[in-house]
Every structure is written in structure tokens, then in C-alpha cells.
């Protein structure tokens, strides 16, 4: 395997039992993403792109084939190991932000570090630094409902970045935002990529996908590059 490939999939099949039937969602998919790339996975609803995202993000595992993340064979990992890999290797950004409403921006951002066992003071300082990096240094003590949609997504991005993950994995990151705010968020992803972050965006929006450096099309469980 090429050492530069942070994501390496070969002949990946994923299916689900539907009563007596088996629904094949991914059909012998092969995919490589190199460290430092900015890739969009583009496809309509039902194409298999969300299943592909779940496998990349170690939320789900393959039925057959091979998936390696940062050189690690993911197929052989236990649930606890997968959870640790998600926390350490991947920064997730969600369409609906998935912030804890009762907690301030800085508490939301430092949460992954506290889950790793980092001491509270160090976690706070690191969270503060990352919130400043995404332009929210003056909003650290605001709760999600006190922030605009774009600001909430910036908090979500800061939370994804705070653990220094190998990959930022964003699922429809502009889906809940107006077009202007969505453009600002995509510009932020471009800046983060220029700083060396590997970014994979899942989207059904061709205009959003065009912002990435490479587009992977998903249709009927197959991928086309």
C-alpha cells in the first residue's frame, strides 16, 4: 500500500439484511485518498455515499474487502478500538451541528479532549485556541442557541479540529445553512486544507463538490472518479 494513502479501500462490499433479502449498498468499491487531499464524495440520496462515509468514519465495518485508515486494518478492530480510532483519527462535522445545547461553545469544543483524558486546563486552552482560529474568539462563552447557524457550524468545525485528527470528515456541512453562509464555511475548509488538513466532504450538491480538489461520484453503490 502506498504510504501516502491515509484512506485505502479495496473491493469493499457492504450489505444489510432486509428481512429475508440482502440489500447490497456498496459493490466492490476501491478508493484511495492521500494525506493532504480535499475530496468531495458526490451522489444523490440512496446512492451509497452515507454508507461510504460511515465506513470511512469507522462507524460501520465492511462485509468483505479491505479498509485501512492511516495504515491500520479497520476490519479487524473491536467496538472499543473503533471508538478510540474515531476519537483520535477523525474529526466529524455534521449537517445539523450536533452541539450540546446546554453547554457553551468552549465546553462543546473541549469535550473530545476530556474524553481522551486530557486535564481540564489544557483542554480549555486548546479549545480556546481553535475557536480563535475559526473566528469565534469572542463567542467562546455563548451557548449554541445564542449563535447563528454559521457560527454553530464553526463551533462544530473547531470541535472536529481540536484533537488534531488525520481526517476531517464532513457530512453535508452546508446543508442547514443559507447559500452565503455555506460559501463562508466552504472557504474555511479550503483554508484548512491549505494548512495541510485532509478533508473529505459528503454532499449531494454539485456546486459544493466543485470547491474540492477532487470529486468522487457515487451512484448505485459504485464509485466513479
Amino acid at each position: 500500500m502506498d504510504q501516502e494513502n491515509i484512506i485505502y479501500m479495496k473491493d469493499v462490499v457492504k450489505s444489510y439484511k432486509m428481512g429475508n433479502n440482502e440489500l447490497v449498498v456498496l459493490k466492490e468499491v476501491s478508493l484511495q485518498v492521500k494525506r493532504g487531499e480535499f475530496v468531495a464524495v458526490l451522489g444523490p440520496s440512496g446512492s451509497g455515499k452515507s454508507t461510504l462515509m460511515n465506513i470511512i468514519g469507522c462507524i460501520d465495518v465492511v462485509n468483505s474487502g479491505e479498509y485501512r485508515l492511516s495504515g491500520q486494518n479497520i476490519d479487524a478492530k473491536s467496538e472499543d478500538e473503533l471508538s478510540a480510532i474515531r476519537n483520535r483519527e477523525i474529526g466529524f462535522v455534521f449537517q445539523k451541528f450536533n452541539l450540546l445545547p446546554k453547554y457553551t461553545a468552549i465546553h462543546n469544543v473541549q469535550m473530545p479532549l476530556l474524553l481522551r483524558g486530557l486535564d481540564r486546563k489544557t483542554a480549555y486552552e486548546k479549545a480556546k485556541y481553535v475557536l480563535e482560529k475559526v473566528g469565534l474568539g469572542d463567542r467562546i462563552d455563548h451557548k449554541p442557541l445564542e449563535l447563528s447557524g454559521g457560527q454553530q457550524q464553526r463551533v462544530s468545525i473547531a470541535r472536529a479540529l481540536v484533537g488534531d485528527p488525520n481526517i476531517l470528515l464532513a457530512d453535508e456541512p452546508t446543508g442547514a445553512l443559507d447559500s452565503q453562509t455555506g460559501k463562508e464555511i466552504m472557504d474555511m475548509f479550503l483554508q484548512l486544507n491549505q494548512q495541510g488538513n485532509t478533508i473529505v466532504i459528503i454532499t449531494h450538491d454539485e456546486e459544493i463538490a466543485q470547491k474540492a480538489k477532487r470529486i468522487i461520484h457515487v451512484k448505485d453503490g459504485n464509485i466513479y472518479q
Side-chain angles (χ1 to χ4, degrees):
M1 185 186 73
D2 184 344
Q3 288 302 304
E4 284 192 334
N5 284 327
I6 196 164
I7 292 170
Y8 177 86
M9 287 185 182
K10 185 169 176 59
D11 298 333
V12 161
V13 174
K14 182 63 187 178
S15 61
Y16 298 97
K17 285 283 186 188
M18 305 285 285
N20 293 326
N21 299 318
E22 188 174 18
L23 176 66
V24 180
V25 183
L26 294 177
K27 305 168 183 174
E28 296 189 351
V29 164
S30 295
L31 169 68
Q32 291 86 44
V33 175
K34 293 186 184 301
R35 193 175 297 276
E37 273 202 281
F38 183 4
V39 174
V41 176
L42 176 66
S45 180
S47 61
K49 69 182 188 298
S50 296
T51 300
L52 184 63
M53 184 202 77
N54 287 342
I55 289 171
I56 291 171
C58 303
I59 295 166
D60 209 344
V61 292
V62 305
N63 291 92
S64 63
E66 181 183 2
Y67 174 39
R68 291 181 177 271
L69 175 65
S70 301
Q72 301 174 82
N73 185 359
I74 298 303
D75 320 325
K77 302 296 183 187
S78 68
E79 277 298 324
D80 286 348
E81 287 171 325
L82 289 174
S83 179
I85 288 167
R86 286 194 297 271
N87 184 274
R88 186 176 65 248
E89 296 277 345
I90 301 162
F92 291 94
V93 180
F94 301 98
Q95 177 178 346
K96 294 184 177 174
F97 321 134
N98 285 24
L99 300 174
L100 298 168
K102 293 182 180 178
Y103 290 88
T104 61
I106 197 156
H107 282 112
N108 268 283
V109 173
Q110 68 181 354
M111 197 69 69
L113 300 179
L114 298 175
L115 290 171
R116 283 189 196 182
L118 202 66
D119 69 90
R120 196 166 289 275
K121 183 176 186 297
T122 306
Y124 184 92
E125 290 302 324
K126 191 158 190 186
K128 185 169 182 283
Y129 169 76
V130 179
L131 280 164
E132 287 168 353
K133 187 175 176 179
V134 301
L136 289 179
D138 59 344
R139 294 284 191 274
I140 66 171
D141 293 322
H142 287 60
K143 293 180 179 177
L145 290 178
E146 298 168 342
L147 301 170
S148 69
Q151 289 171 335
Q152 288 183 62
Q153 192 59 296
R154 285 170 184 261
V155 174
S156 177
I157 292 167
R159 180 184 57 193
L161 285 171
V162 76
D164 298 316
N166 278 319
I167 299 171
L168 276 181
L169 184 56
D171 182 18
E172 302 281 6
T174 63
L177 305 172
D178 64 72
S179 57
Q180 178 57 36
T181 308
K183 182 181 179 300
E184 291 169 8
I185 292 299
M186 289 307 298
D187 287 345
M188 177 176 292
F189 279 121
L190 282 167
Q191 289 171 9
L192 292 169
N193 178 244
Q194 286 163 6
Q195 293 164 17
N197 290 281
T198 306
I199 300 173
V200 177
I201 284 183
I202 314 295
T203 184
H204 70 277
D205 187 330
E206 188 148 359
E207 195 174 332
I208 294 297
Q210 292 292 343
K211 298 277 189 181
K213 306 290 176 65
R214 178 159 68 103
I215 300 176
I216 294 159
H217 296 266
V218 183
K219 186 177 180 184
D220 299 330
N222 297 298
I223 67 172
Y224 310 89
Q225 299 190 52

